[in-house]
Amino acid sequence: PNSFQTTFTPVSKDKNSQTAGLLAGGDTQSSNGPSGQFVARGSIESPSKVLLMLVAGLSFSTRLYKLTEPPHVCWDETHFGKMGSYYINRTFFFDVHPPLGKMLIGLAGYMSGYNGTFPFIKPGDKYENQNYWGMRGFCAVLGSFLPIFAYLIVLELSNSCTAAIIAATLLIFDTGCITISQYILLDPILMFFIMAAVLSMVKFNQQRYRSFTASWWFWLVLTGINLAGALGVKFVGLFVIVLVGLNTIGDLWRLLGDMSLSLVDIAKHFLARAFALILLPLILYVTIFAVHFVVLNKSGPGDGFFSSAFQSRLIGNNLHNASMPEYLAFGSTVTIKNLRIAGGYLHSHWHLYPEGVGARQQQVTAYLHKDYNNLWVVHRQQDNNSQSGNPDLVRHGDIVRLEHKETTRNLHSHLHEAPLTKKHFQVTGYGINGTGDANDLWQMEVCGGRKGDPVKVLRSKVRFLHRATGCVLYSSGKTLPKWGWEQIEVTCSPYLKETPSSQWNIEDHINPKLPNISLSVLKPNFLEILLESHIVMFRGNSGLKPKDNEMNSKPWHWPINYQGLRFSGVNATEYRVYLLGNPVVWWINLASLGLYFTMVAVASIATQRGFSLGGGLLMLGWLLHYAPFFTMGRILYFHHYFPAMLFSSMLTGLTLDILFRSADLLLHPPYSYWFQRTGQLLLLFSILYSFYLFHPLSYGMTGPLAHEPGSAMAGLKWMDSWEF
């Protein structure tokens, strides 16, 4: 039923028809009018294969050229190269993205002989004798598939080799796509899975009349696998999941309207999609995390972001294979850890708050590292020193006094304002050798607990309510000035809402009068660590706010190519690489978005009915990968637009092809043929020539800057906001 395409195809009852479009036919010469051309699908097979090989050759050669240049760390390689090293060394770390991309980078490094010893401290560090080409090469190979996938997707949607080759050419010769594919980054891996998912979905749509055949199952399952891959690299993968989900809903709606199908048939279709597009990706996504936790089993820089129970899994952490009493008792020496990300351990030291900062008493802070000054002794309200035998357990609702072990001062609060969070009260160390006043008393509550519940080490979330003022002990996450040793502010918050900042847990626990248990019994199970890692990632993502002096890119900047990103080098003596789209490609894409809407509107008015140009799926893909960034509060960068740019380029291929073919409606042969070919040649020339002009941005440049004479980029700084 898909064999023949007519020139004009208004939207039929089959709403999902991907080939509906204005002149969705093949690449033969124009006929005499809008309805005289029928093209068999088979006739485009042979030229399309030759063109596909050409696209593949150009794509791989542009991405692999000068891959080892510059031989130093560029931009975010400092993060993702380092994380690849952590996998090779099995060292635990924290990142705001899911682990698949970094795992694949680590695997690529390991397979190519990299030993995981390079520190990746900062951009500009020389690689020296390190084997870094394997990780860069892996990313470049995946980036090389993007134009190939674009060619195949547009060919499937339009049946036009011209549309497909335009889309592929835009991506092959885009300086931005080349630059972002050539370094150790997550972006090429993410975009590979996004495009592979879209291609699999489009191929599956073409199988609709061959339900439950081997090829139908193959493309359906492959779609699910690629969705898991996209989400496993970055949470941005959710956007392509929504795209596939909307396509699937449309597909099922069409099946519901098919009177030839029984309810059992429709149920089979529904269950097949639920398995391949929901259950299978979920299983694969969880498996990615299972591998991540098994591989990263050694203590590392990520420990402090996670709970004490989580840390007890990690070899080399002081909680690993440790043994300590299970329940907190009076007389115990403990460390108390805040539950917010990087909330730190409750800490004090001999230094006093400076003049003018609340009462001039001993500082109490939160400290991110393990330290002797994190130790506190838990006492009763009035200590009974004659106590013998087993000490009493601390229970929900008990009044306690916390004495700092090193300085013997009590944890204390009063109505002076906190140093940084002015609506909170100051927390200090007060008294000596246990003698203090009523402001040293705190009521200990187990979150979600009842009166009489004991406090479990590691597992119980507890709050400390100050008896005198009614406030709650709180880690604000704000960094104190130099006088506070740049540690984290601890306050007493009058706002009693339960948040991670006001919740604590007992981590280290020493009490010789109590029996020890092995902490292995407290180790969290897989589902608990999976849930915790996601909570930590989401909190980390929402915490990525722009710093005071940091450049924050705006989403409206992106389609107009307003500003790029420095990957390497600043001054004339350095090797400079600058991430910026090929301006001609990006501005053609921008114009084509407007042209697409205009053509749909004109065609709909002309035919006075619903009208499709076959690009609706690509337009939806562009919107889904672009519009959500306008609602995000986190810091944004130019490179976030690249997945949307892929859809925009594919839509351009389709739109310009229809524009060239519409010459048939305005001109008689041979003029319509000449117009088409002239338009296509001009487009190709402008893309190639602009690539020739701007290619130093991708492949690197040294010497004078763009505004200086003798520069490779002289006269090409077309916008003041470009910084090359």
Side-chain angles (χ1 to χ4, degrees):
N2 276 344
S3 309
F4 295 97
Q5 310 294 335
T6 57
T7 308
F8 276 108
T9 319
V11 173
S12 61
K13 284 178 188 166
D14 177 2
K15 288 209 174 87
N16 252 44
S17 176
Q18 297 297 344
T19 48
L22 172 60
L23 201 88
D27 284 307
T28 58
Q29 287 190 21
S30 316
S31 66
N32 235 343
S35 58
Q37 183 181 11
F38 288 86
V39 180
R41 185 175 178 81
S43 71
I44 64 166
E45 287 295 323
S46 50
S48 75
K49 282 181 178 163
V50 175
L51 286 171
L52 180 61
M53 289 166 68
L54 179 67
V55 165
L58 286 169
S59 187
F60 275 91
S61 55
T62 49
R63 269 80 184 152
L64 296 175
Y65 175 64
K66 292 183 81 171
L67 184 67
T68 54
E69 299 288 321
H72 59 244
V73 178
C74 292
W75 194 53
D76 269 359
E77 284 189 325
T78 182
H79 299 304
F80 302 119
K82 186 186 295 173
M83 290 168 189
S85 302
Y86 285 144
Y87 279 104
I88 294 170
N89 299 317
R90 306 192 67 176
T91 304
F92 187 75
F93 67 94
F94 164 68
D95 185 42
V96 296
H97 306 300
L100 180 62
K102 283 98 60 180
M103 269 159 60
L104 292 174
I105 287 169
L107 181 65
Y110 179 73
M111 300 285 282
S112 59
Y114 169 59
N115 60 10
T117 56
F118 186 73
F120 287 97
I121 293 170
K122 64 183 188 303
D125 287 354
K126 292 273 186 287
Y127 282 120
E128 303 294 348
N129 301 319
Q130 294 287 349
N131 192 342
Y132 63 97
W133 59 264
M135 293 183 282
R136 275 196 189 169
F138 170 73
C139 293
V141 166
L142 293 192
S144 302
F145 276 99
L146 303 178
I148 299 168
F149 288 161
Y151 175 85
L152 294 170
I153 290 165
V154 176
L155 190 64
E156 283 293 333
L157 290 177
S158 68
N159 255 9
S160 163
C161 283
T162 308
I165 203 73
I166 291 171
T169 305
L170 289 166
L171 293 179
I172 288 169
F173 297 108
D174 177 49
T175 47
C177 283
I178 291 171
T179 307
I180 209 157
S181 298
Q182 286 200 311
Y183 297 92
I184 306 168
L185 302 172
L186 297 186
D187 302 85
I189 309 172
L190 171 71
M191 292 192 288
F192 173 87
F193 283 116
I194 288 173
M195 292 290 274
V198 174
L199 177 61
S200 307
M201 172 183 75
V202 169
K203 287 278 193 186
F204 173 72
N205 288 341
Q206 299 291 1
Q207 304 289 324
R208 69 159 58 93
Y209 299 104
R210 305 175 62 197
S211 299
F212 302 105
T213 59
S215 60
W216 185 92
W217 275 111
F218 174 77
W219 291 113
L220 180 62
V221 167
L222 195 59
T223 306
I225 291 170
N226 286 313
L227 291 181
L231 188 62
V233 176
K234 275 189 176 184
F235 289 124
V236 171
L238 279 168
F239 302 153
V240 78
I241 290 174
V242 173
L243 179 66
V244 171
L246 292 172
N247 177 75
T248 307
I249 290 165
D251 203 18
L252 289 169
W253 184 252
R254 181 186 60 79
L255 291 169
L256 277 171
D258 188 339
M259 293 302 169
S260 66
L261 292 177
S262 69
L263 277 176
V264 174
D265 290 333
I266 290 170
K268 278 197 217 159
H269 274 281
F270 177 80
L271 289 172
R273 286 162 175 78
F275 163 73
L277 301 179
I278 299 172
L279 189 63
L280 177 66
L282 197 62
I283 291 168
L284 291 173
Y285 181 74
V286 170
T287 305
I288 290 165
F289 276 88
V291 174
H292 168 73
F293 293 133
V294 168
V295 173
L296 300 185
N297 63 355
K298 294 180 185 169
S299 176
D303 295 14
F305 290 93
F306 289 81
S307 68
S308 310
F310 188 102
Q311 292 180 42
S312 69
R313 303 168 43 257
L314 300 169
I315 298 166
N317 189 289
N318 67 320
L319 298 174
H320 183 258
N321 283 348
S323 58
M324 59 179 69
E326 184 174 8
Y327 296 106
L328 181 65
F330 290 105
S332 294
T333 301
V334 297
T335 59
I336 303 169
K337 186 176 190 294
N338 188 258
L339 294 189
R340 68 173 281 146
I341 293 182
Y345 295 91
L346 189 65
H347 177 95
S348 188
H349 39 233
W350 289 106
H351 305 278
L352 306 182
Y353 285 101
E355 201 68 56
V357 181
R360 196 160 157 74
Q361 294 173 6
Q362 186 167 297
Q363 294 175 18
V364 171
T365 63
Y367 189 47
L368 286 173
H369 305 281
K370 314 228 170 190
D371 185 85
Y372 186 74
N373 275 329
N374 299 343
L375 293 174
W376 299 81
V377 184
V378 182
H379 293 293
R380 294 175 178 282
Q381 188 171 355
Q382 252 107 34
D383 251 357
N384 174 9
N385 290 327
S386 62
Q387 181 184 321
S388 60
N390 283 342
D392 290 342
L393 299 182
V394 179
R395 298 181 184 274
H396 176 86
D398 281 357
I399 311 295
V400 301
R401 180 169 57 78
L402 294 174
E403 181 186 312
H404 188 240
K405 188 164 173 63
E406 171 68 8
T407 63
T408 73
R409 299 199 193 280
N410 296 328
L411 187 71
H412 176 98
S413 187
H414 43 223
L415 294 175
H416 293 271
E417 67 179 23
L420 303 176
T421 311
K422 298 299 183 187
K423 290 185 177 176
H424 290 194
F425 302 132
Q426 183 187 29
V427 174
T428 67
Y430 179 74
I432 194 81
N433 287 331
T435 56
D437 62 19
N439 281 344
D440 302 342
L441 300 180
W442 302 80
Q443 183 170 335
M444 205 162 180
E445 291 186 348
V446 178
C447 299
R450 294 193 300 273
K451 186 147 183 70
D453 284 357
V455 177
K456 288 182 185 170
V457 173
L458 295 182
R459 284 306 185 90
S460 292
K461 296 178 183 176
V462 297
R463 299 201 308 162
F464 295 92
L465 256 97
H466 191 240
R467 293 289 289 167
T469 61
C471 58
V472 62
L473 191 66
Y474 190 94
S475 169
S476 72
K478 297 175 182 172
T479 305
L480 291 167
K482 288 274 193 289
W483 57 256
W485 304 94
E486 296 181 345
Q487 293 172 10
I488 294 164
E489 178 192 42
V490 168
T491 68
C492 199
S493 168
Y495 309 105
L496 300 185
K497 184 171 173 243
E498 283 193 10
T499 68
S501 298
S502 64
Q503 294 173 327
W504 306 77
N505 72 298
I506 307 301
E507 185 165 291
D508 297 286
H509 182 211
I510 304 156
N511 194 323
K513 294 182 178 176
L514 288 176
N516 287 344
I517 60 152
S518 167
L519 284 191
S520 56
V521 304
L522 300 180
K523 271 186 192 166
N525 61 39
F526 173 68
L527 286 177
E528 286 173 323
I529 61 177
L530 183 69
L531 179 66
E532 180 176 345
S533 61
H534 277 79
I535 291 169
V536 171
M537 282 191 291
F538 289 137
R539 279 197 211 143
N541 259 312
S542 61
L544 291 173
K545 299 284 188 271
K547 299 189 174 66
D548 294 341
N549 54 355
E550 194 165 8
M551 183 66 209
N552 190 20
S553 186
K554 304 279 193 300
W556 67 265
H557 289 171
W558 303 340
I560 61 175
N561 213 19
Y562 178 76
Q563 191 169 36
L565 256 175
R566 280 201 188 100
F567 264 45
S568 168
V570 178
N571 58 45
T573 58
E574 293 175 321
Y575 191 95
R576 301 188 302 283
V577 175
Y578 189 67
L579 175 70
L580 186 76
N582 179 336
V584 171
V585 169
W586 284 55
W587 295 340
I588 287 172
N589 280 349
L590 190 61
S592 296
L593 285 168
L595 184 63
Y596 176 80
F597 283 119
T598 308
M599 286 162 76
V600 170
V602 167
S604 298
I605 293 163
T607 57
Q608 295 190 342
R609 63 174 107 179
F611 202 86
S612 163
L613 292 182
L617 189 78
L618 300 176
M619 173 56 76
L620 183 61
W622 176 75
L623 280 170
L624 283 172
H625 285 81
Y626 179 46
F629 287 104
F630 284 94
T631 64
M632 289 186 192
R634 59 155 288 173
I635 187 166
L636 298 172
Y637 298 101
F638 174 52
H639 70 102
H640 288 143
Y641 183 67
F642 277 81
M645 185 266 177
L646 299 175
F647 287 95
S648 177
S649 299
M650 291 189 286
L651 187 64
T652 300
L654 226 127
T655 307
L656 293 183
D657 182 46
I658 295 166
L659 179 71
F660 292 143
R661 288 171 185 286
S662 60
D664 273 6
L665 308 176
L666 305 171
L667 301 167
H668 292 292
Y671 304 112
S672 58
Y673 175 70
W674 293 347
F675 174 82
Q676 277 186 42
R677 289 296 173 258
T678 307
Q680 289 162 358
L681 285 170
L682 273 173
L683 177 69
L684 183 64
F685 174 76
S686 61
I687 294 169
L688 288 175
Y689 187 62
S690 61
F691 174 69
Y692 164 73
L693 291 176
F694 285 94
H695 77 274
L697 295 180
S698 294
Y699 297 128
M701 50 200 167
T702 49
L705 304 177
H707 58 274
E708 297 166 353
S711 168
M713 303 303 292
L716 294 177
K717 198 163 182 273
W718 296 347
M719 291 178 77
D720 289 338
S721 49
W722 295 350
E723 305 161 312
F724 54 74

